[in-house]
Amino acid sequence: MFPLHVRSYYSLMRGTMSPAEICARAKRYGYKSVALTDRDNLYGTWAFLAACRREGIRPIIGSEISEPGTDRIVTCLVRNRTGYSHLCNLLTRRHTEKNFSLEKALAQFSDGLFVLSRDQQILRFLQEKGANPVADLGPRPTEKAAVLRKWAQQKRIRAVATHDCGIAEQEDIALYVLLRAIDRNISISEALEAEKCTVVNSFAAPDVYSARFAIWPETLRESYRLAGECLFDGPDFGLVMPPWKGSESAAHTLRQWAYRGAEKRYGTDLTEVVVDRLEHELAVIESMGFSSYFLVVRNIVHRPRKDGSRRKRRICGRGSGAASLVAYCLEITNVCPIKYNLYFERFLNPGRIDPPDIDIDFAWDERDEVLHEVLNDHQGHAAMVCNHIFFKPRMAIRETAKAYGMPGYEISRITKKLPWFSRGADLLEQMGNMPTLRGENLSGPWPEIIRVAAKIIGIPRYISVHPGGVIITPQPISNYVPVEYAPKGVPIIQWEKDGAEDAGLVKIDLLGNRSLGVIRDCIAGVRAHGVIFRERGWVPEDDEPTRKTVGRGATMGCFYIESPAMRLLQQKAGDGDYEQLVIQSSIIRPAANEFVREYVRRLHGGEWQPLHYELKDVLDETFGLMVYQEDVSRVAVHLAGFSHARADGLRKIMSKKDKEHKLADYRQEFFAGCSARDIGEREVEAIWAMMMSFDGYSFCKPHSASYARVSFQAAYLKTYFPAEFMAAVISNEGGYYSTFAYVSEVKRCGVTILPPDVNLSGRKWKGKNRRIRVGLRAVHGVSEKLIERICSNREQGGNYKDPADFFQRTQPSEDEARQLIHCGALDSLQHKANRTVLLWELARFRRLTASGKKAPLFRIQLPPAPDLAEPAPEEMLRREYQALGFLCSVHPVVLFRKRVGTMVISRNFKSHVGKRIRFLGWLLTGKLVSTKTGEAMEFLTFEDEYGLVEATFFPRVYRRYANILRSGKPYVLDGLVESDFGAVTLTVDRVDALEKVR
């Protein structure tokens, strides 16, 4: 017999085996074929097909389909292409129809499928419809199975023995019960009670079934024949392009639009270089059948209005698609590929077998509108890609602890101190050695919880929506892949991005970008103040003051170049050059730390030799270093003789989750190719090591160029319009840093921060003439509804005249009113701005109106307030900080200076290079990293009122102090001031939390 009914862990929280484990076990037991039949989904299809190829197992595609609200369930096995399409439609209906009926759905979509069931009514119904029903006797010849077998024989319906399993061994039942407890949000004991009637079967060997079914041997033979009739071995659509429905052919229309756009970009007299490049790209695009893809993306970016005009949105077209001149002329991208030497072949070439990929960023608060338009315009033919969310260590520990009955506060106390874990290492041992957990008591049930939690790491928990991937298909999308609805209501396919790509479904990434919202709002604010700002012809990367801003690393708020690592790199480079910024945006990837300093050394004139003489001209633009994704491909071609398609495959596999198997093959091929060219093994090892620095995420040059341009636009606006720019940064909810940090940066820019005011503040922050008014949304505990009432009542009835007028017209709750008073938003309504008096007036108003739910129609007059003392200055600042999370007038560290004595301030660090100092700083953010030996260390950003300080905590110091470090608190740091290519940092050797300072 063959395993015709096996669930993997993609039967979410109902299975414990991965598809790879199923196939490995099938091979070990001698099975030649196996059917994956996960509950109500095809999530694991591509992982299953890959595992079958590795193990030499013939795959059978299938799925269990349940009827909600009943215990009715069938198992569908795909016989042919028609059956596959019907299975996708069955599953789609199962997830999208409110009153889904198995019988009604199977009546329409059973052709091409074997439908296995134990329900006689369903089997009889299918037989009457001329379908292929099969009686599923399960893994044991029970009494119920005997009745079903006899009935099937009478009705001449095939009957088979099946595995019907979801665990590997019987010992895995405890793990299965844990998953059920987590899934149902109950304790393990409750799950045991709930599942006590459930029979959980394990994946057994053929001889086990031969022995069990010796009394019914025909059922084993029938399962063998059934498997042999399932000839479909996986989806094979080719490339599925989004359809073009214009009156003329896609290729003709694309040519017209491309040349029209070229004249707009370059003028009517196009140069030979532009024409030749356009013709080359158009020929490749047409020959590969990709014309419709470009047109559909262009229509998404510049969606036609009802009057035929096109809507202009602020976008950033990025990814490898930014290397296309056609995309640039269609205004899908904004970086000229000719000017910056971007290679079209990185994006599209005749040897490339996977789909093209154009990523489009929209302003973050416009992205949902764009997605809604796309899904509506292509209803039934479009859906978003899903993400498969797997248990990671922190989630596994938290959910397991809940199932063990641990209280929430105890779980949070531990899990919030878990920064990261090393792959493959023992979980309990790692936690025992974590500096952040030093002093924590992990006795009692915690060791057992952690050991059990380790077993579910890597198991899928649920699916979510991909950040922006959209699939558009010519036929209904449910013919290709099952579709369901995400909790937010959007349709999603059941495969994540790699599975969609393997299937040939072309993904369009429509993503949200906060910096585009910042740039949009800043320019709108500048124009609203009467400044003429023309974007056509705006080339911020050529502006010298902007270059100086970038070169100083004064780029907080400036998109991709605001992180501590990027700001330090800008300071080390020192020139603010756009083309160098393109390199720096890519070389800063996590696995390339050792190459960053070497890049800076070479940038400043340090001597260097190419990795190999044949690469002298290949990597000369990047000083002999591999920086971009395409460098991996180019090196493989030039040194190891790879074809361009094979080299591109090597580049792609480095970002995949399951790269280990394929990467070993590529390594062997690369070393063999280099050896054939007489390149020494040590030299090849060094080159391969640099290639491996692209493990995880990395950028191609077109992507970096696109990001660098948005970063330069932001830096330009910050240079010339700091108030408007920083107001836009904070109103768009910032980027890398907290609002607190951006407020400090505002002050360092010489901009005055004005507190919120119920007569002057809007919902968002507003900047003008080096002054920023805090927006009402910044006040903690004040609802959106109250903010709406404050603004609308002010617009309709004029400014608020006094506190009573404000309270009566807006009706805040007591807590909301107190927060507005504490932050200073009502100071202008009382001539002395005495917040004690304002609190008295609030209390008096509430007493006067306590008798009725609504305020009286006549205007309430409050009696004169008694002579009350103002709050002490420190108390007033403390309340303001609680209400806003920052202080408008001063930095909080100022309040602690008297307690700590003389300290070196940040702006004097350069004069203390090479010296040990003490520094009082406020912790903003940190980045935890691992050394080559696997030890934890951290880079932390502190600030005082004068500037930022980047501090390094090497492993020994990190181990000692990690458990006391919390962002949003002041610390005294002792350490050595160091300088590297002009970038000054502090290497810390001692930390005192402020309350412990001597």
Side-chain angles (χ1 to χ4, degrees), residues 629-670:
Q629 287 179 346
E630 54 266 43
D631 290 343
V632 171
S633 303
R634 295 161 74 196
V635 168
V637 169
H638 281 80
L639 286 192
F642 278 39
S643 68
H644 287 283
R646 184 68 174 162
D648 195 52
L650 169 60
R651 187 242 346 140
K652 288 191 66 180
I653 199 64
M654 291 183 179
S655 63
K656 302 295 185 184
K657 299 173 187 174
D658 58 346
K659 57 180 173 286
E660 288 78 11
H661 295 285
K662 293 181 180 178
L663 197 56
D665 295 336
Y666 278 112
R667 186 183 190 279
Q668 184 178 357
E669 184 178 346
F670 182 80

Side-chain angles (χ1 to χ4, degrees), residues 451-744:
R451 278 193 293 268
V452 172
K455 296 179 181 180
I456 65 172
I457 293 172
I459 289 179
R461 175 67 176 95
Y462 56 89
I463 68 168
S464 67
V465 186
H466 184 274
V470 176
I471 305 290
I472 304 173
T473 55
Q475 296 179 30
I477 195 165
S478 59
N479 287 352
Y480 302 90
V481 55
V483 176
E484 58 186 272
Y485 286 114
K488 63 187 295 186
V490 298
I492 56 174
I493 66 172
Q494 289 192 338
W495 299 332
E496 39 70 62
K497 65 182 184 66
D498 289 343
E501 183 180 291
D502 289 341
L505 301 178
V506 178
K507 174 169 61 72
I508 304 170
D509 274 335
L510 309 175
L511 302 153
N513 184 317
R514 290 191 184 274
S515 285
L516 293 178
V518 169
I519 293 167
R520 174 201 64 201
D521 291 351
C522 177
I523 292 174
V526 167
R527 287 171 174 163
H529 301 150
V531 177
I532 298 173
F533 190 97
R534 294 188 176 92
E535 291 192 69
R536 184 163 292 281
W538 180 32
V539 189
E541 53 265 39
D542 292 341
D543 180 72
E544 189 58 31
T546 303
R547 286 185 173 188
K548 289 180 178 178
T549 297
V550 174
R552 293 196 312 273
T555 50
M556 278 186 70
C558 298
F559 187 39
Y560 197 69
I561 56 175
E562 70 163 338
S563 70
M566 281 301 295
R567 288 188 296 98
L568 283 175
L569 183 52
Q570 297 315 309
Q571 292 169 18
K572 293 172 185 177
D575 55 9
D577 177 75
Y578 171 77
E579 295 195 41
Q580 291 306 311
L581 186 62
V582 175
I583 294 175
Q584 292 151 16
S585 295
S586 189
I587 202 171
I588 204 71
R589 63 187 183 274
N593 290 334
E594 63 183 290
F595 302 116
V596 173
R597 194 174 191 285
E598 180 61 16
Y599 156 75
V600 174
R601 189 189 69 79
R602 296 181 185 188
L603 174 65
H604 287 292
E607 292 185 0
W608 57 274
Q609 295 294 322
L611 290 168
H612 187 271
Y613 69 87
E614 289 191 22
L615 298 178
K616 183 174 183 295
D617 296 329
V618 176
L619 300 175
D620 59 338
E621 178 185 319
T622 55
F623 306 97
L625 298 168
M626 282 185 253
V627 170
Y628 307 117
Q629 287 179 346
E630 54 266 43
D631 290 343
V632 171
S633 303
R634 295 161 74 196
V635 168
V637 169
H638 281 80
L639 286 192
F642 278 39
S643 68
H644 287 283
R646 184 68 174 162
D648 195 52
L650 169 60
R651 187 242 346 140
K652 288 191 66 180
I653 199 64
M654 291 183 179
S655 63
K656 302 295 185 184
K657 299 173 187 174
D658 58 346
K659 57 180 173 286
E660 288 78 11
H661 295 285
K662 293 181 180 178
L663 197 56
D665 295 336
Y666 278 112
R667 186 183 190 279
Q668 184 178 357
E669 184 178 346
F670 182 80
F671 274 70
C674 290
S675 177
R677 287 162 174 75
D678 296 324
I679 303 174
E681 187 171 344
R682 288 184 63 184
E683 197 173 2
V684 180
E685 287 282 4
I687 295 169
W688 183 258
M690 189 179 290
M691 293 167 78
M692 290 305 100
S693 73
F694 287 83
D695 180 25
Y697 82 81
S698 55
F699 292 165
C700 59
K701 185 180 178 183
H703 183 94
S704 287
S706 302
Y707 266 13
R709 188 160 201 279
V710 174
S711 298
F712 251 98
Q713 289 176 334
Y716 178 97
L717 294 172
K718 183 178 183 182
T719 301
Y720 289 97
F721 310 104
E724 291 87 346
F725 177 77
M726 292 306 297
V729 168
I730 299 172
S731 292
N732 281 277
E733 300 176 18
Y736 189 90
Y737 302 92
S738 64
T739 297
F740 178 98
Y742 289 123
V743 166
S744 299

Side-chain angles (χ1 to χ4, degrees), residues 210-229:
S210 297
R212 286 180 186 171
F213 287 89
I215 57 172
W216 304 337
E218 81 284 355
T219 62
L220 302 179
R221 292 193 298 270
E222 199 60 56
S223 75
Y224 185 90
R225 283 194 290 269
L226 196 71
E229 294 174 38

